[in-house]
Amino acid sequence: MPEQPKFAQIKQHIIDQIRAGTWQEHQRVPSENELSDQFKVSRMTARRALSELTEDGVLTRSQGLGTFVASLKSQSSLLEIRNIADEVEERGGNYSCVVLSLESMSAIAPIAIALGVEIDSQVYRSVIVHHENEEPIQVEERFVNPALAPEYLQQNFTTLTPHEYLTHVAPLTEARHTVEAIMPNEEVCQWLNMFNEEPCLQMIRRTWSSQGIVSFARLISPGSKYRLGGHLTFKK
C-alpha cells in the first residue's frame, strides 16, 4: 500500500490528537513552522494540511493568534432519545418515511472525528424524510460506523427506523447532542416541502454503545411543525 502524502500524514496526526483528547476544543495546535520541523516538510505542505482541516471545520484560524481546535458542538444530553415513529403514533398520527439515500462513502475529516474512524475510511450514510400523516416533519441524515452495524445498508428503513435498528444491534449507552435554529438550504426545503422561508430546528447527535461510537446524525425539522421537550426529575 503506497505511503500517504506528507500533508495527509499531518492531517491524520492532528485528527488523532483531537480524537484521543490530547488536544481539546479551542486549544492552539502547532504552527506551520512547528509542523514543518516535526515532519521534515516545507511550510507549504504544513499550510496545506492546516488549510484543508480549517475548510472542513475541524480547525479554526485567527489572524495573528494561530490555529485552534474548532468547537465540536457536542454536549451531554438532557433529553430522552426517542424513536420518531413512536412519537408520531403517540400523537395519533400515521407514520411513514421516504428513503432518499442509503450508501457507503469515504469519511471526510469532520465525519471521521465524529465516528472515531480514519479519514477516507468507508462509513455508511442514510438520508430519510420522516412523515406524519403524509406531511414531512423531519430530515434525518445519519452516518454510521460499519464496524458496529455491518448490515446497516441491507435494512428496509420504510419498516423500521435507523434508531430502532441501531438500538437493537448496538444498544445505546450514551448520547450527546446540540440543538440550534438554522435557515435550511434549498435541498432541505425541497425535502420538507417548504415553500416559504422559515427557520428550522437542527439537532446534531452522536450515539455510543459499549463498543464505541455508533452514529453521527443531523436531524432537521421545520420550526412550525416540530418542537422539542423534556422532563427532568431531581433527587431530593
Side-chain angles (χ1 to χ4, degrees), residues 84 87 91 137-138 201 203 221-228:
I84 189 169
E87 291 182 8
R91 291 194 292 266
I137 60 168
Q138 186 181 88
L201 188 69
M203 178 182 291
S221 304
S224 61
K225 295 183 180 179
Y226 199 79
R227 65 180 179 179
L228 195 62

Side-chain angles (χ1 to χ4, degrees), residues 11-73:
K11 286 176 65 176
Q12 189 62 59
H13 169 73
I14 293 171
I15 296 295
D16 290 343
Q17 296 302 307
I18 296 172
R19 193 165 60 207
T22 306
W23 295 348
Q24 300 292 322
E25 290 184 28
H26 312 303
Q27 182 175 334
R28 183 182 177 278
V29 303
S31 66
E32 293 174 5
N33 285 335
E34 291 168 329
L35 289 171
S36 62
D37 289 341
Q38 180 180 350
F39 287 88
K40 304 295 187 281
V41 297
S42 67
R43 281 190 61 188
M44 184 176 297
T45 299
R47 183 181 301 125
R48 177 177 178 181
L50 293 176
S51 296
E52 289 191 3
L53 288 177
T54 300
E55 291 173 2
D56 287 339
V58 177
L59 302 177
T60 180
R61 309 189 84 167
S62 179
Q63 186 68 32
L65 295 178
T67 304
F68 301 84
V69 178
S71 171
L72 300 181
K73 294 186 177 180

Side-chain angles (χ1 to χ4, degrees), residues 44-215:
M44 184 176 297
T45 299
R47 183 181 301 125
R48 177 177 178 181
L50 293 176
S51 296
E52 289 191 3
L53 288 177
T54 300
E55 291 173 2
D56 287 339
V58 177
L59 302 177
T60 180
R61 309 189 84 167
S62 179
Q63 186 68 32
L65 295 178
T67 304
F68 301 84
V69 178
S71 171
L72 300 181
K73 294 186 177 180
S74 65
Q75 64 187 41
S76 296
S77 172
L78 295 177
L79 299 173
E80 181 184 2
I81 306 302
R82 303 203 59 205
N83 179 34
I84 189 169
D86 293 338
E87 291 182 8
V88 170
E89 290 170 1
E90 285 177 9
R91 291 194 292 266
N94 294 315
Y95 170 80
S96 61
C97 73
V98 175
V99 179
L100 299 177
S101 180
L102 192 57
E103 62 183 348
S104 178
M105 61 172 285
S106 296
I108 61 174
I111 302 304
I113 290 176
L115 289 178
V117 299
E118 298 294 321
I119 296 176
D120 293 330
S121 64
Q122 291 298 296
V123 299
Y124 297 152
R125 173 179 179 263
S126 58
V127 180
I128 297 172
V129 181
H130 301 287
H131 291 72
E132 180 172 356
N133 299 329
E134 301 184 359
E135 286 292 323
I137 60 168
Q138 186 181 88
V139 172
E140 173 190 317
E141 180 180 31
R142 187 182 295 267
F143 301 91
V144 174
N145 185 344
L148 300 183
E151 297 181 0
Y152 186 78
L153 298 184
Q154 282 72 58
Q155 305 310 306
N156 179 2
F157 289 123
T158 62
T159 60
L160 84 168
T161 66
H163 172 79
E164 287 177 293
Y165 175 70
L166 293 174
T167 299
H168 175 69
V169 300
L172 302 184
T173 58
E174 182 182 354
R176 299 178 185 175
H177 67 238
T178 56
V179 180
E180 60 185 342
I182 64 164
M183 293 305 297
N185 60 30
E186 183 177 347
E187 186 175 46
V188 171
C189 287
Q190 291 177 350
W191 291 341
L192 291 173
N193 287 347
M194 294 172 56
F195 303 104
N196 297 314
E197 190 174 272
E198 67 169 282
C200 284
L201 188 69
Q202 174 176 270
M203 178 182 291
I204 303 295
R205 177 181 289 159
R206 297 166 75 197
T207 57
W208 280 256
S209 74
S210 59
Q211 295 179 301
I213 302 172
V214 179
S215 72

